[in-house]
Amino acid sequence: MIKTLFVLWNYLVYFFIHNFIINKADDDKVIGWGSNYYKQTDWATASATVAVAPKYINVPNTSQVLSATQIDGGYGHTVALTGNWPDTGLVAWGLNNYGQINGVRSDAMDDQIAYTTALEISGHTLSGLSAIAVGGFHNVAVYTTQTYGAAVSA
């Protein structure tokens, strides 16, 4: 079945407790399922739930279905790279106890579940990102610029 998913969907990401597929046959729309305790799978769900059945995932706090070129997730959060280089953006949602969503750590449980669709986090622009990677409680991104026909990573 996994091989069939790779052939049909081209991109499958498995995280510790939540999963996503980028549907290349449908404008890169994201399908997610699994644990949603920290709303890491489906922000639109009214309250945190144990599990979400496979469904198209909306951009947090909108009715627009999320399209992404890359998606990755940590223990309780998800990060998606949107757009095509150099006009990229970032959407992140879920657990934010170490600032993994918006760069601001929160010890208050009410503030630990967050989302961002910002084009800038902590003064750093998100346009020009070419790749993302997510750990349990952190994220990294590759920022790429074009100089004289050669790509330079910083």
Side-chain angles (χ1 to χ4, degrees):
M1 180 174 166
I2 295 296
K3 184 176 180 182
T4 302
L5 285 175
F6 274 117
V7 170
L8 293 176
W9 303 98
N10 265 347
Y11 197 80
L12 172 70
V13 177
Y14 169 78
F15 308 125
F16 178 64
I17 48 180
H18 54 296
N19 312 278
F20 292 95
I21 291 174
I22 295 177
N23 186 349
K24 295 293 190 182
D26 191 9
D27 296 325
D28 295 335
K29 290 180 181 166
V30 175
I31 298 171
W33 69 96
S35 174
N36 200 44
Y37 187 77
Y38 299 111
K39 296 183 121 183
Q40 71 269 35
T41 304
D42 181 19
W43 184 267
T45 302
S47 62
T49 57
V50 175
V52 172
K55 64 184 269 184
Y56 280 105
I57 302 301
N58 289 346
V59 175
N61 277 3
T62 73
S63 60
Q64 176 187 354
V65 174
L66 175 65
S67 290
T69 53
Q70 187 180 350
I71 193 164
D72 204 350
Y75 171 74
H77 72 289
T78 304
V79 179
L81 184 64
T82 61
N84 293 304
W85 188 90
D87 299 319
T88 54
L90 194 73
V91 179
W93 65 96
L95 185 63
N96 190 47
N97 57 334
Y98 292 104
Q100 59 269 46
I101 301 301
N102 60 13
V104 179
R105 181 187 165 122
S106 175
D107 291 323
M109 190 57 183
D110 290 346
D111 297 329
Q112 286 186 3
I113 310 252
Y115 76 94
T116 184
T117 56
L119 297 177
E120 187 175 290
I121 291 180
S122 300
H124 299 285
T125 182
L126 301 180
S127 183
L129 297 179
S130 58
I132 57 170
V134 176
F137 298 96
H138 68 281
N139 313 307
V140 294
V142 176
Y143 174 74
T144 305
T145 59
Q146 190 78 20
T147 307
Y148 303 110
V152 179
S153 294

mmCIF file of all heavy atoms in Angstrom, residues 15 18 72-79 100 132-140:
data_model
loop_
_atom_site.group_PDB
_atom_site.id
_atom_site.type_symbol
_atom_site.label_atom_id
_atom_site.label_comp_id
_atom_site.label_asym_id
_atom_site.label_seq_id
_atom_site.Cartn_x
_atom_site.Cartn_y
_atom_site.Cartn_z
ATOM 1 N N PHE A 15 4.998 11.081 10.615
ATOM 2 C CA PHE A 15 5.542 11.648 11.831
ATOM 3 C C PHE A 15 5.186 10.720 12.981
ATOM 4 O O PHE A 15 4.466 9.755 12.808
ATOM 5 C CB PHE A 15 4.955 13.038 12.096
ATOM 6 C CG PHE A 15 5.086 13.951 10.914
ATOM 7 C CD1 PHE A 15 3.971 14.568 10.381
ATOM 8 C CD2 PHE A 15 6.310 14.177 10.320
ATOM 9 C CE1 PHE A 15 4.082 15.404 9.301
ATOM 10 C CE2 PHE A 15 6.430 15.009 9.242
ATOM 11 C CZ PHE A 15 5.312 15.630 8.729
ATOM 12 N N HIS A 18 1.286 11.822 13.617
ATOM 13 C CA HIS A 18 0.413 12.388 12.591
ATOM 14 C C HIS A 18 1.090 12.269 11.229
ATOM 15 O O HIS A 18 2.301 12.173 11.143
ATOM 16 C CB HIS A 18 0.006 13.826 12.908
ATOM 17 C CG HIS A 18 1.131 14.775 13.167
ATOM 18 N ND1 HIS A 18 1.988 14.646 14.230
ATOM 19 C CD2 HIS A 18 1.528 15.883 12.503
ATOM 20 C CE1 HIS A 18 2.870 15.633 14.210
ATOM 21 N NE2 HIS A 18 2.609 16.392 13.172
ATOM 22 N N ASP A 72 6.612 18.881 6.881
ATOM 23 C CA ASP A 72 7.357 18.098 7.860
ATOM 24 C C ASP A 72 6.736 18.352 9.219
ATOM 25 O O ASP A 72 5.996 19.318 9.400
ATOM 26 C CB ASP A 72 8.837 18.512 7.848
ATOM 27 C CG ASP A 72 9.761 17.411 8.362
ATOM 28 O OD1 ASP A 72 9.266 16.401 8.900
ATOM 29 O OD2 ASP A 72 10.982 17.575 8.235
ATOM 30 N N GLY A 73 6.990 17.485 10.164
ATOM 31 C CA GLY A 73 6.371 17.640 11.471
ATOM 32 C C GLY A 73 7.236 17.137 12.589
ATOM 33 O O GLY A 73 8.106 16.291 12.390
ATOM 34 N N GLY A 74 7.000 17.695 13.763
ATOM 35 C CA GLY A 74 7.707 17.283 14.960
ATOM 36 C C GLY A 74 6.775 16.548 15.893
ATOM 37 O O GLY A 74 5.748 16.007 15.474
ATOM 38 N N TYR A 75 7.098 16.594 17.170
ATOM 39 C CA TYR A 75 6.304 15.858 18.150
ATOM 40 C C TYR A 75 4.844 16.283 18.128
ATOM 41 O O TYR A 75 3.959 15.441 18.083
ATOM 42 C CB TYR A 75 6.889 16.051 19.548
ATOM 43 C CG TYR A 75 6.010 15.499 20.623
ATOM 44 C CD1 TYR A 75 5.914 14.120 20.810
ATOM 45 C CD2 TYR A 75 5.242 16.332 21.426
ATOM 46 C CE1 TYR A 75 5.081 13.592 21.778
ATOM 47 C CE2 TYR A 75 4.415 15.812 22.393
ATOM 48 C CZ TYR A 75 4.335 14.453 22.570
ATOM 49 O OH TYR A 75 3.502 13.930 23.517
ATOM 50 N N GLY A 76 4.589 17.581 18.153
ATOM 51 C CA GLY A 76 3.211 18.046 18.182
ATOM 52 C C GLY A 76 2.971 19.254 17.298
ATOM 53 O O GLY A 76 2.035 20.010 17.524
ATOM 54 N N HIS A 77 3.831 19.461 16.299
ATOM 55 C CA HIS A 77 3.630 20.600 15.406
ATOM 56 C C HIS A 77 3.946 20.208 13.970
ATOM 57 O O HIS A 77 4.589 19.203 13.718
ATOM 58 C CB HIS A 77 4.479 21.800 15.841
ATOM 59 C CG HIS A 77 5.943 21.651 15.592
ATOM 60 N ND1 HIS A 77 6.752 20.788 16.305
ATOM 61 C CD2 HIS A 77 6.760 22.282 14.712
ATOM 62 C CE1 HIS A 77 7.995 20.888 15.869
ATOM 63 N NE2 HIS A 77 8.032 21.788 14.900
ATOM 64 N N THR A 78 3.459 21.045 13.043
ATOM 65 C CA THR A 78 3.633 20.783 11.619
ATOM 66 C C THR A 78 4.082 22.071 10.942
ATOM 67 O O THR A 78 3.627 23.154 11.301
ATOM 68 C CB THR A 78 2.308 20.310 10.997
ATOM 69 O OG1 THR A 78 1.862 19.158 11.718
ATOM 70 C CG2 THR A 78 2.475 19.954 9.541
ATOM 71 N N VAL A 79 4.965 21.937 9.957
ATOM 72 C CA VAL A 79 5.448 23.076 9.181
ATOM 73 C C VAL A 79 5.332 22.716 7.702
ATOM 74 O O VAL A 79 5.734 21.628 7.290
ATOM 75 C CB VAL A 79 6.915 23.411 9.520
ATOM 76 C CG1 VAL A 79 7.415 24.580 8.691
ATOM 77 C CG2 VAL A 79 7.071 23.709 11.011
ATOM 78 N N GLN A 100 8.432 26.828 18.653
ATOM 79 C CA GLN A 100 8.648 26.184 17.357
ATOM 80 C C GLN A 100 7.679 26.647 16.278
ATOM 81 O O GLN A 100 7.909 26.414 15.103
ATOM 82 C CB GLN A 100 8.654 24.655 17.477
ATOM 83 C CG GLN A 100 7.401 24.034 18.031
ATOM 84 C CD GLN A 100 7.407 23.846 19.531
ATOM 85 O OE1 GLN A 100 7.773 24.731 20.289
ATOM 86 N NE2 GLN A 100 6.972 22.681 19.988
ATOM 87 N N ILE A 132 12.819 22.794 4.141
ATOM 88 C CA ILE A 132 12.583 22.824 5.583
ATOM 89 C C ILE A 132 12.869 21.451 6.166
ATOM 90 O O ILE A 132 12.815 20.443 5.459
ATOM 91 C CB ILE A 132 11.138 23.240 5.936
ATOM 92 C CG1 ILE A 132 10.129 22.290 5.266
ATOM 93 C CG2 ILE A 132 10.876 24.687 5.574
ATOM 94 C CD1 ILE A 132 8.693 22.468 5.730
ATOM 95 N N ALA A 133 13.180 21.424 7.442
ATOM 96 C CA ALA A 133 13.304 20.175 8.191
ATOM 97 C C ALA A 133 12.832 20.469 9.610
ATOM 98 O O ALA A 133 13.047 21.565 10.128
ATOM 99 C CB ALA A 133 14.736 19.671 8.202
ATOM 100 N N VAL A 134 12.177 19.504 10.218
ATOM 101 C CA VAL A 134 11.576 19.702 11.516
ATOM 102 C C VAL A 134 12.014 18.591 12.447
ATOM 103 O O VAL A 134 12.003 17.420 12.077
ATOM 104 C CB VAL A 134 10.027 19.733 11.394
ATOM 105 C CG1 VAL A 134 9.365 19.842 12.740
ATOM 106 C CG2 VAL A 134 9.601 20.879 10.488
ATOM 107 N N GLY A 135 12.405 18.976 13.669
ATOM 108 C CA GLY A 135 12.734 18.011 14.705
ATOM 109 C C GLY A 135 11.597 17.945 15.708
ATOM 110 O O GLY A 135 10.532 18.526 15.499
ATOM 111 N N GLY A 136 11.815 17.269 16.798
ATOM 112 C CA GLY A 136 10.773 17.111 17.803
ATOM 113 C C GLY A 136 10.209 18.435 18.283
ATOM 114 O O GLY A 136 9.003 18.621 18.356
ATOM 115 N N PHE A 137 11.083 19.390 18.593
ATOM 116 C CA PHE A 137 10.649 20.678 19.138
ATOM 117 C C PHE A 137 11.366 21.850 18.473
ATOM 118 O O PHE A 137 11.517 22.911 19.074
ATOM 119 C CB PHE A 137 10.878 20.718 20.646
ATOM 120 C CG PHE A 137 10.082 19.667 21.373
ATOM 121 C CD1 PHE A 137 10.657 18.452 21.705
ATOM 122 C CD2 PHE A 137 8.757 19.881 21.713
ATOM 123 C CE1 PHE A 137 9.927 17.479 22.366
ATOM 124 C CE2 PHE A 137 8.019 18.919 22.365
ATOM 125 C CZ PHE A 137 8.597 17.707 22.693
ATOM 126 N N HIS A 138 11.830 21.687 17.241
ATOM 127 C CA HIS A 138 12.533 22.768 16.543
ATOM 128 C C HIS A 138 12.349 22.635 15.034
ATOM 129 O O HIS A 138 11.896 21.606 14.548
ATOM 130 C CB HIS A 138 14.026 22.749 16.894
ATOM 131 C CG HIS A 138 14.735 21.545 16.356
ATOM 132 N ND1 HIS A 138 14.663 20.307 16.956
ATOM 133 C CD2 HIS A 138 15.516 21.393 15.263
ATOM 134 C CE1 HIS A 138 15.376 19.435 16.253
ATOM 135 N NE2 HIS A 138 15.902 20.070 15.219
ATOM 136 N N ASN A 139 12.727 23.688 14.311
ATOM 137 C CA ASN A 139 12.632 23.704 12.852
ATOM 138 C C ASN A 139 13.900 24.329 12.292
ATOM 139 O O ASN A 139 14.515 25.169 12.930
ATOM 140 C CB ASN A 139 11.449 24.568 12.383
ATOM 141 C CG ASN A 139 10.181 24.269 13.138
ATOM 142 O OD1 ASN A 139 9.767 23.131 13.222
ATOM 143 N ND2 ASN A 139 9.574 25.297 13.700
ATOM 144 N N VAL A 140 14.262 23.928 11.083
ATOM 145 C CA VAL A 140 15.343 24.590 10.349
ATOM 146 C C VAL A 140 14.878 24.787 8.914
ATOM 147 O O VAL A 140 13.994 24.089 8.428
ATOM 148 C CB VAL A 140 16.673 23.789 10.379
ATOM 149 C CG1 VAL A 140 17.234 23.718 11.779
ATOM 150 C CG2 VAL A 140 16.488 22.400 9.802
#
